[in-house]
Amino acid sequence: MPRMAKPIKAILAAVAVCGVIGVGSYFLFLRDSGDAGPGGASSQSELKRRPNTPHKVEDWERHPEVENLALVLDEKADYGQRLKAIEKIDNDLRPKLVQDIVKTLKNPAVDETIRNDLLDKLESQTKPLGTLGPLLVEMYGNPEDTWKWKNYCLQHAVPVWKIEPDHRKDLVDFLFKVMEEEKGEAKDSAVMSETAMLSLSKIGASDPEVAARVAKAASARVADKTKDPERAVTAMHVAAGAGDASILPEARKTAADVKALARLRMSSIAAIGQLGGQEDVALLEKLAAGPDGRVTACAKLNLDALKSRLAK
């Protein structure tokens, strides 16, 4: 064996010892650091503590608006809790959540009150959506939806008119069309017409042109009360609110007519209370002493209002 053999053997032995020490030190480091390496028990425990573990949704990942909307749409949940969840929905919603709510509004199977409150929430967004006007018209025209929801749509036309200037004309035209059309059963049609007229009256408080149009329509309906007494009820109220004293002759005649529709008599009495003069005191006093409880109560209330106004 050459003379270099013994030194080489010594060197190889030293390298082997160093390798063993190095490997041992590595595993000792892993043990002290709590990491058992790939697939080890400590590594799996650490994964469970990480927030992006696939099998679990951590609290920091949950979006409150998503959870609130999920509760709102859960028909098995407590009804009161569902309404409270709507109140908690933010007024600065992401577009995707707005789309989800709009989809819900269009669904006739969803409770009308739930949809009504959701529509309120969209109207109260910090940045107006600018799309609610056409949405109301679309939903009202859905033949599969309920009359109750259609009525809500007519009522919501007022706040939407205020926040969406670009759709004001279309909304006013839509309301006038509903007010004038004959659609559905007589009672439902009358209610829709009255609601549309009331909404137009409210819009008219901010728009003189609309006020003049609806007052003219209301006066014509009062004059035609025999043909359509249901619609004349709201027409009398709207005309009186517009200060149209030309309806007083019809109001006095109707108020004194015991055969007239009770609602129409009370609407006429209210008009007298708002617009009447000293000559109307005797009529209201007579009605206040009459046998019909509803008419009597209405007459007493408006008699006091008339006297108070005349005393100023």
Side-chain angles (χ1 to χ4, degrees), residues 128-192:
L129 302 180
T131 57
L132 296 181
L135 177 63
L136 291 178
V137 177
E138 176 188 346
M139 292 189 297
Y140 182 87
N142 182 2
E144 297 181 1
D145 224 318
T146 65
W147 285 104
K148 182 178 180 180
W149 179 242
K150 292 173 185 290
N151 195 279
Y152 277 138
C153 290
L154 297 177
Q155 296 176 49
H156 278 279
V158 179
V160 172
W161 181 90
K162 293 179 180 178
I163 63 176
E164 294 188 358
D166 290 345
H167 297 133
R168 287 179 177 174
K169 182 180 183 303
D170 290 339
L171 283 171
V172 168
D173 291 344
F174 161 66
L175 289 172
F176 269 107
K177 180 181 178 181
V178 173
M179 186 186 75
E180 296 165 357
E181 71 182 1
E182 297 288 340
K183 185 177 181 181
E185 297 179 5
K187 182 179 179 181
D188 289 326
S189 184
V191 171
M192 295 301 133

Side-chain angles (χ1 to χ4, degrees), residues 1 31 34 42 47 66 102 107 126 153 199 212 235 265 296 312:
M1 179 179 295
R31 185 196 68 186
S42 296
L47 280 174
V66 174
V102 169
N107 185 357
T126 303
C153 290
S199 291
R265 291 185 72 191
T296 296
K312 294 180 180 180

Side-chain angles (χ1 to χ4, degrees), residues 143-310:
E144 297 181 1
D145 224 318
T146 65
W147 285 104
K148 182 178 180 180
W149 179 242
K150 292 173 185 290
N151 195 279
Y152 277 138
C153 290
L154 297 177
Q155 296 176 49
H156 278 279
V158 179
V160 172
W161 181 90
K162 293 179 180 178
I163 63 176
E164 294 188 358
D166 290 345
H167 297 133
R168 287 179 177 174
K169 182 180 183 303
D170 290 339
L171 283 171
V172 168
D173 291 344
F174 161 66
L175 289 172
F176 269 107
K177 180 181 178 181
V178 173
M179 186 186 75
E180 296 165 357
E181 71 182 1
E182 297 288 340
K183 185 177 181 181
E185 297 179 5
K187 182 179 179 181
D188 289 326
S189 184
V191 171
M192 295 301 133
S193 178
E194 290 179 44
T195 302
M197 179 174 280
L198 286 172
S199 291
L200 284 167
S201 177
K202 293 175 181 178
I203 290 174
S206 303
D207 188 325
E209 183 178 345
V210 173
R213 284 181 64 188
V214 72
K216 181 178 179 181
S219 297
R221 192 159 287 179
V222 168
D224 199 23
K225 68 181 189 304
T226 303
K227 178 182 177 182
D228 200 344
E230 288 288 348
R231 287 171 172 76
V233 173
T234 301
M236 186 74 75
H237 169 77
V238 170
D244 185 2
S246 68
I247 65 170
L248 279 173
E250 284 295 335
R252 293 172 182 135
K253 181 179 178 181
T254 304
D257 185 0
V258 295
K259 294 183 180 181
L261 187 71
R263 289 179 60 225
L264 183 54
R265 291 185 72 191
M266 291 187 286
S267 185
S268 299
I269 291 170
I272 295 171
Q274 287 180 263
L275 305 173
Q278 186 63 46
E279 66 274 24
D280 295 304
V281 172
L283 172 60
L284 293 186
E285 287 178 336
K286 180 180 179 180
L287 293 174
D292 191 322
R294 292 179 299 170
V295 173
T296 296
C298 182
K300 288 179 179 178
L301 180 65
N302 283 280
L303 176 60
D304 291 340
L306 177 59
K307 289 181 175 179
S308 177
R309 182 166 55 80
L310 294 176

Side-chain angles (χ1 to χ4, degrees), residues 13 17 25 35 42 46 58-59 64 67 76 84 87 91 93 136 138 142 162 183 209 218 220 246-247 277 280 282-283:
V17 170
S25 299
D35 191 350
S42 296
E46 180 63 23
E58 300 292 335
D59 290 340
E67 293 194 339
K76 296 181 180 180
K84 288 181 180 179
E87 295 176 4
N91 287 334
L93 291 172
L136 291 178
E138 176 188 346
N142 182 2
K162 293 179 180 178
K183 185 177 181 181
E209 183 178 345
S246 68
I247 65 170
D280 295 304
L283 172 60

